[in-house]
């Protein structure tokens, strides 16, 4: 039985923050409750943004620029625990995709950002 917490990024990447892309289903397949955590990096122009888009700088440049910052801000927001089965849903396991979509909607609602069914691979 697994008892230690695991920190996962269900999108599988970072985005520019304009929408929440499709969550990968691997984290939701075990049918265990998840504790959603929003990780945001408030950005000020002229400073490096840890969740850059494409094209991204090289790993060396990222490390150098982050080390040159006097400090980096990070805002964490804990959302309610999401269970694999919602009382309004079927009593049978609907599968990891529906579970992932429900958690994606929780993120989207909390951020006031639209969600999309596109993924990083698209």
């Amino acid at each position: 039985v697994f008892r230690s917490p695991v920190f996962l990024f269900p999108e599988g990447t970072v985005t520019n923050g304009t929408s929440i892309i499709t969550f990968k289903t691997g984290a939701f397949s075990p049918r265990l409750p998840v504790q959603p955590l929003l990780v945001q990096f408030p950005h000020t122009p002229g400073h490096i943004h840890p969740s850059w888009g494409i094209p991204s700088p090289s790993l060396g440049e990222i490390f150098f620029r982050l080390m040159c910052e006097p400090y980096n801000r990070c805002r964490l927001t804990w959302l309610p625990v999401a269970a694999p089965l919602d009382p309004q849903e079927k009593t049978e396991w609907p599968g990891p995709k529906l579970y992932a979509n429900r958690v994606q909607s929780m993120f989207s609602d909390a951020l006031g950002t639209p969600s999309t069914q596109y993924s990083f691979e698209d």
Side-chain angles (χ1 to χ4, degrees):
V1 174
F2 186 77
R3 296 201 164 113
S4 297
V6 176
F7 191 71
L8 301 170
F9 292 92
E11 289 179 302
T13 187
V14 293
T15 65
N16 62 6
T18 58
S19 65
I20 305 293
I21 62 174
T22 301
F23 282 8
K24 299 196 180 301
T25 57
F28 305 97
S29 295
R31 296 192 221 182
L32 297 171
V34 296
Q35 172 65 69
L37 173 66
L38 290 174
V39 180
Q40 296 172 285
F41 297 98
H43 179 60
T44 333
H47 295 270
I48 189 165
H49 194 289
S51 59
W52 49 86
I54 294 180
S56 63
S58 69
L59 186 58
E61 182 181 352
I62 293 165
F63 181 75
F64 176 75
R65 290 178 67 187
L66 283 172
M67 292 296 107
C68 290
E69 292 287 327
Y71 61 90
N72 291 288
R73 294 181 186 167
C74 179
R75 182 181 315 136
L76 304 175
T77 306
W78 297 93
L79 299 178
V81 173
L85 293 172
D86 192 355
Q88 284 86 20
E89 292 177 358
K90 305 172 188 172
T91 54
E92 294 180 13
W93 170 240
K97 184 68 179 160
L98 186 60
Y99 187 19
N101 288 346
R102 189 160 35 87
V103 176
Q104 179 187 9
S105 294
M106 291 172 65
F107 276 74
S108 179
D109 292 345
L111 290 171
T113 305
S115 62
T116 179
Q117 293 306 308
Y118 291 108
S119 67
F120 178 71
E121 291 79 18
D122 294 333

